[in-house]
Amino acid sequence: MAERAFVFGVDLDGTCADFYGGLRPIAAEWLGVALESLTETVSWGLPEWGIDRSPGGYERLHRFAVTQKELFRVLKPMPGAPVALRRLSVDGIRIRIITHRLFIKYFHKIAVQQTIEWLDSHDIPYWDLCFMQDKAAVGADLYIEDSPANVRQLRVDGHSTIVFSNSTNLDLPGPRANSWNEVVDLVLAEVGRWKAAHKDRGELSGE
């Protein structure tokens, strides 16, 4: 029987992709305000930008950003994310992308297409691409997330989860990474522990 690979569950927006940096100029256009008026230090839901008080709220902004501005295709990657994921993949780690980008109805095809094009254009390796809200349902040995709600739920369910730091999650306890170099170190350390545990149970052969 083939040995099972270590599975790393990877969030996209705010973790691999600079979601807030990419959305900010689009939000300024949509709101009709100067870019400088929208702070870069935000909390979850973007109340600092007044999105909740705008017509249609966040859902309307999100639809505009994806369908009219191709948000998911033009986002910049977080510094170091593509090369870090390539390194982990070469080390035999199975990259499982898990994202909740399909939370708004009727433009799933566009969101999926833009996501695949973005991953390919930045040469980000992955074995699996999962679009779902319940990220624990697809399973992984280790997750990385920026969403406070997702981090809390994954940990409540007993899943090891790295917090990728941004202004929305600074109150969460570690383990946390402030850069993708730190992500690599944390993942490799967890892989080492995982291999030792599985070898002790006879599930991995000696190297």
Side-chain angles (χ1 to χ4, degrees), residues 171-197:
D171 62 320
L172 295 176
R176 91 170 30 244
N178 298 302
S179 71
W180 270 91
N181 283 336
E182 292 183 7
V183 173
V184 169
D185 291 342
L186 289 168
V187 173
L188 293 179
E190 184 67 21
V191 170
R193 290 188 287 269
W194 178 85
K195 285 184 175 180

mmCIF file of all heavy atoms in Angstrom, residues 171-197:
data_model
loop_
_atom_site.group_PDB
_atom_site.id
_atom_site.type_symbol
_atom_site.label_atom_id
_atom_site.label_comp_id
_atom_site.label_asym_id
_atom_site.label_seq_id
_atom_site.Cartn_x
_atom_site.Cartn_y
_atom_site.Cartn_z
ATOM 1 N N ASP A 171 -5.888 39.010 17.474
ATOM 2 C CA ASP A 171 -6.257 38.569 18.825
ATOM 3 C C ASP A 171 -6.188 37.052 18.981
ATOM 4 O O ASP A 171 -6.315 36.546 20.101
ATOM 5 C CB ASP A 171 -7.674 39.045 19.160
ATOM 6 C CG ASP A 171 -8.728 38.468 18.221
ATOM 7 O OD1 ASP A 171 -8.444 38.379 17.011
ATOM 8 O OD2 ASP A 171 -9.828 38.124 18.695
ATOM 9 N N LEU A 172 -5.969 36.334 17.902
ATOM 10 C CA LEU A 172 -5.955 34.872 17.978
ATOM 11 C C LEU A 172 -4.613 34.361 18.490
ATOM 12 O O LEU A 172 -3.564 34.902 18.138
ATOM 13 C CB LEU A 172 -6.223 34.270 16.602
ATOM 14 C CG LEU A 172 -7.590 34.528 15.978
ATOM 15 C CD1 LEU A 172 -7.647 33.937 14.575
ATOM 16 C CD2 LEU A 172 -8.698 33.941 16.844
ATOM 17 N N PRO A 173 -4.618 33.297 19.288
ATOM 18 C CA PRO A 173 -3.358 32.707 19.745
ATOM 19 C C PRO A 173 -2.670 31.948 18.619
ATOM 20 O O PRO A 173 -3.286 31.595 17.612
ATOM 21 C CB PRO A 173 -3.797 31.753 20.862
ATOM 22 C CG PRO A 173 -5.210 31.395 20.507
ATOM 23 C CD PRO A 173 -5.791 32.613 19.863
ATOM 24 N N GLY A 174 -1.376 31.697 18.785
ATOM 25 C CA GLY A 174 -0.612 30.955 17.795
ATOM 26 C C GLY A 174 -0.950 29.480 17.812
ATOM 27 O O GLY A 174 -1.790 29.043 18.595
ATOM 28 N N PRO A 175 -0.312 28.711 16.937
ATOM 29 C CA PRO A 175 0.792 29.123 16.066
ATOM 30 C C PRO A 175 0.347 30.088 14.985
ATOM 31 O O PRO A 175 -0.739 29.957 14.447
ATOM 32 C CB PRO A 175 1.280 27.800 15.468
ATOM 33 C CG PRO A 175 0.079 26.898 15.522
ATOM 34 C CD PRO A 175 -0.651 27.274 16.764
ATOM 35 N N ARG A 176 1.235 31.044 14.688
ATOM 36 C CA ARG A 176 0.928 32.026 13.659
ATOM 37 C C ARG A 176 2.170 32.304 12.844
ATOM 38 O O ARG A 176 3.302 32.127 13.307
ATOM 39 C CB ARG A 176 0.337 33.291 14.265
ATOM 40 C CG ARG A 176 1.254 34.381 14.656
ATOM 41 C CD ARG A 176 0.554 35.695 15.026
ATOM 42 N NE ARG A 176 -0.757 35.614 15.593
ATOM 43 C CZ ARG A 176 -1.859 36.100 15.000
ATOM 44 N NH1 ARG A 176 -1.769 36.678 13.808
ATOM 45 N NH2 ARG A 176 -3.033 36.010 15.575
ATOM 46 N N ALA A 177 1.935 32.729 11.609
ATOM 47 C CA ALA A 177 3.023 33.077 10.707
ATOM 48 C C ALA A 177 2.812 34.490 10.209
ATOM 49 O O ALA A 177 1.696 34.857 9.812
ATOM 50 C CB ALA A 177 3.077 32.106 9.535
ATOM 51 N N ASN A 178 3.879 35.271 10.215
ATOM 52 C CA ASN A 178 3.832 36.634 9.706
ATOM 53 C C ASN A 178 4.370 36.735 8.282
ATOM 54 O O ASN A 178 4.308 37.802 7.675
ATOM 55 C CB ASN A 178 4.640 37.562 10.614
ATOM 56 C CG ASN A 178 4.070 37.617 12.010
ATOM 57 O OD1 ASN A 178 2.917 37.968 12.218
ATOM 58 N ND2 ASN A 178 4.871 37.237 12.998
ATOM 59 N N SER A 179 4.897 35.628 7.783
ATOM 60 C CA SER A 179 5.437 35.590 6.422
ATOM 61 C C SER A 179 5.385 34.155 5.937
ATOM 62 O O SER A 179 5.230 33.209 6.728
ATOM 63 C CB SER A 179 6.883 36.080 6.398
ATOM 64 O OG SER A 179 7.740 35.125 7.025
ATOM 65 N N TRP A 180 5.581 33.977 4.626
ATOM 66 C CA TRP A 180 5.576 32.620 4.095
ATOM 67 C C TRP A 180 6.860 31.862 4.418
ATOM 68 O O TRP A 180 6.866 30.632 4.430
ATOM 69 C CB TRP A 180 5.257 32.632 2.608
ATOM 70 C CG TRP A 180 3.765 32.530 2.438
ATOM 71 C CD1 TRP A 180 2.873 33.562 2.358
ATOM 72 C CD2 TRP A 180 3.000 31.326 2.392
ATOM 73 N NE1 TRP A 180 1.586 33.083 2.261
ATOM 74 C CE2 TRP A 180 1.632 31.709 2.273
ATOM 75 C CE3 TRP A 180 3.313 29.982 2.425
ATOM 76 C CZ2 TRP A 180 0.603 30.769 2.205
ATOM 77 C CZ3 TRP A 180 2.285 29.043 2.361
ATOM 78 C CH2 TRP A 180 0.958 29.433 2.241
ATOM 79 N N ASN A 181 7.938 32.555 4.718
ATOM 80 C CA ASN A 181 9.121 31.854 5.223
ATOM 81 C C ASN A 181 8.807 31.199 6.560
ATOM 82 O O ASN A 181 9.230 30.063 6.825
ATOM 83 C CB ASN A 181 10.292 32.834 5.379
ATOM 84 C CG ASN A 181 10.942 33.188 4.058
ATOM 85 O OD1 ASN A 181 10.864 32.427 3.093
ATOM 86 N ND2 ASN A 181 11.588 34.339 4.010
ATOM 87 N N GLU A 182 8.059 31.909 7.394
ATOM 88 C CA GLU A 182 7.657 31.343 8.679
ATOM 89 C C GLU A 182 6.678 30.195 8.486
ATOM 90 O O GLU A 182 6.700 29.216 9.240
ATOM 91 C CB GLU A 182 7.046 32.430 9.560
ATOM 92 C CG GLU A 182 8.048 33.486 10.009
ATOM 93 C CD GLU A 182 7.433 34.513 10.949
ATOM 94 O OE1 GLU A 182 6.268 34.351 11.365
ATOM 95 O OE2 GLU A 182 8.133 35.490 11.284
ATOM 96 N N VAL A 183 5.819 30.301 7.472
ATOM 97 C CA VAL A 183 4.896 29.200 7.177
ATOM 98 C C VAL A 183 5.680 27.925 6.877
ATOM 99 O O VAL A 183 5.383 26.853 7.408
ATOM 100 C CB VAL A 183 3.983 29.553 5.982
ATOM 101 C CG1 VAL A 183 3.151 28.321 5.578
ATOM 102 C CG2 VAL A 183 3.057 30.713 6.322
ATOM 103 N N VAL A 184 6.681 28.033 6.022
ATOM 104 C CA VAL A 184 7.477 26.860 5.648
ATOM 105 C C VAL A 184 8.086 26.212 6.888
ATOM 106 O O VAL A 184 8.028 24.983 7.061
ATOM 107 C CB VAL A 184 8.579 27.245 4.638
ATOM 108 C CG1 VAL A 184 9.566 26.095 4.455
ATOM 109 C CG2 VAL A 184 7.958 27.624 3.301
ATOM 110 N N ASP A 185 8.656 27.014 7.768
ATOM 111 C CA ASP A 185 9.269 26.469 8.980
ATOM 112 C C ASP A 185 8.242 25.731 9.843
ATOM 113 O O ASP A 185 8.515 24.630 10.354
ATOM 114 C CB ASP A 185 9.914 27.592 9.799
ATOM 115 C CG ASP A 185 11.147 28.177 9.125
ATOM 116 O OD1 ASP A 185 11.714 27.523 8.223
ATOM 117 O OD2 ASP A 185 11.540 29.305 9.490
ATOM 118 N N LEU A 186 7.061 26.333 10.000
ATOM 119 C CA LEU A 186 6.020 25.714 10.826
ATOM 120 C C LEU A 186 5.515 24.420 10.200
ATOM 121 O O LEU A 186 5.289 23.425 10.900
ATOM 122 C CB LEU A 186 4.862 26.692 11.030
ATOM 123 C CG LEU A 186 5.132 27.886 11.948
ATOM 124 C CD1 LEU A 186 4.012 28.918 11.830
ATOM 125 C CD2 LEU A 186 5.274 27.423 13.405
ATOM 126 N N VAL A 187 5.332 24.434 8.887
ATOM 127 C CA VAL A 187 4.824 23.242 8.207
ATOM 128 C C VAL A 187 5.843 22.110 8.291
ATOM 129 O O VAL A 187 5.492 20.963 8.622
ATOM 130 C CB VAL A 187 4.479 23.547 6.736
ATOM 131 C CG1 VAL A 187 4.118 22.253 5.996
ATOM 132 C CG2 VAL A 187 3.323 24.537 6.658
ATOM 133 N N LEU A 188 7.100 22.388 8.023
ATOM 134 C CA LEU A 188 8.114 21.337 8.057
ATOM 135 C C LEU A 188 8.275 20.755 9.462
ATOM 136 O O LEU A 188 8.500 19.545 9.620
ATOM 137 C CB LEU A 188 9.441 21.869 7.531
ATOM 138 C CG LEU A 188 9.459 22.235 6.041
ATOM 139 C CD1 LEU A 188 10.832 22.765 5.640
ATOM 140 C CD2 LEU A 188 9.063 21.048 5.171
ATOM 141 N N ALA A 189 8.148 21.609 10.462
ATOM 142 C CA ALA A 189 8.210 21.108 11.838
ATOM 143 C C ALA A 189 7.033 20.174 12.124
ATOM 144 O O ALA A 189 7.198 19.110 12.756
ATOM 145 C CB ALA A 189 8.216 22.278 12.820
ATOM 146 N N GLU A 190 5.845 20.545 11.658
ATOM 147 C CA GLU A 190 4.664 19.699 11.861
ATOM 148 C C GLU A 190 4.781 18.398 11.081
ATOM 149 O O GLU A 190 4.396 17.331 11.570
ATOM 150 C CB GLU A 190 3.409 20.451 11.432
ATOM 151 C CG GLU A 190 2.106 19.719 11.691
ATOM 152 C CD GLU A 190 1.786 19.545 13.166
ATOM 153 O OE1 GLU A 190 2.339 20.314 13.992
ATOM 154 O OE2 GLU A 190 0.985 18.645 13.488
ATOM 155 N N VAL A 191 5.335 18.471 9.877
ATOM 156 C CA VAL A 191 5.550 17.251 9.087
ATOM 157 C C VAL A 191 6.492 16.308 9.816
ATOM 158 O O VAL A 191 6.281 15.079 9.845
ATOM 159 C CB VAL A 191 6.107 17.595 7.689
ATOM 160 C CG1 VAL A 191 6.558 16.323 6.968
ATOM 161 C CG2 VAL A 191 5.055 18.310 6.859
ATOM 162 N N GLY A 192 7.538 16.851 10.428
ATOM 163 C CA GLY A 192 8.454 16.015 11.185
ATOM 164 C C GLY A 192 7.762 15.281 12.316
ATOM 165 O O GLY A 192 7.981 14.075 12.529
ATOM 166 N N ARG A 193 6.910 15.993 13.042
ATOM 167 C CA ARG A 193 6.162 15.358 14.138
ATOM 168 C C ARG A 193 5.199 14.306 13.593
ATOM 169 O O ARG A 193 5.049 13.220 14.172
ATOM 170 C CB ARG A 193 5.415 16.420 14.939
ATOM 171 C CG ARG A 193 6.322 17.322 15.769
ATOM 172 C CD ARG A 193 5.525 18.221 16.693
ATOM 173 N NE ARG A 193 4.841 19.285 15.957
ATOM 174 C CZ ARG A 193 5.360 20.493 15.718
ATOM 175 N NH1 ARG A 193 6.582 20.785 16.149
ATOM 176 N NH2 ARG A 193 4.677 21.415 15.068
ATOM 177 N N TRP A 194 4.562 14.625 12.478
ATOM 178 C CA TRP A 194 3.595 13.716 11.855
ATOM 179 C C TRP A 194 4.282 12.435 11.399
ATOM 180 O O TRP A 194 3.785 11.335 11.625
ATOM 181 C CB TRP A 194 2.930 14.440 10.690
ATOM 182 C CG TRP A 194 1.944 13.644 9.907
ATOM 183 C CD1 TRP A 194 0.619 13.462 10.182
ATOM 184 C CD2 TRP A 194 2.197 12.922 8.683
ATOM 185 N NE1 TRP A 194 0.026 12.692 9.214
ATOM 186 C CE2 TRP A 194 0.973 12.349 8.287
ATOM 187 C CE3 TRP A 194 3.328 12.727 7.904
ATOM 188 C CZ2 TRP A 194 0.848 11.574 7.135
ATOM 189 C CZ3 TRP A 194 3.228 11.953 6.748
ATOM 190 C CH2 TRP A 194 1.995 11.392 6.369
ATOM 191 N N LYS A 195 5.435 12.549 10.776
ATOM 192 C CA LYS A 195 6.167 11.369 10.308
ATOM 193 C C LYS A 195 6.596 10.495 11.468
ATOM 194 O O LYS A 195 6.493 9.262 11.402
ATOM 195 C CB LYS A 195 7.386 11.798 9.494
ATOM 196 C CG LYS A 195 7.064 12.301 8.099
ATOM 197 C CD LYS A 195 8.339 12.623 7.327
ATOM 198 C CE LYS A 195 8.030 13.010 5.894
ATOM 199 N NZ LYS A 195 9.266 13.322 5.121
ATOM 200 N N ALA A 196 7.061 11.134 12.538
ATOM 201 C CA ALA A 196 7.488 10.354 13.700
ATOM 202 C C ALA A 196 6.316 9.584 14.298
ATOM 203 O O ALA A 196 6.448 8.402 14.640
ATOM 204 C CB ALA A 196 8.109 11.282 14.740
ATOM 205 N N ALA A 197 5.161 10.236 14.403
ATOM 206 C CA ALA A 197 3.989 9.579 14.980
ATOM 207 C C ALA A 197 3.514 8.427 14.109
ATOM 208 O O ALA A 197 3.179 7.340 14.606
ATOM 209 C CB ALA A 197 2.873 10.595 15.177
#
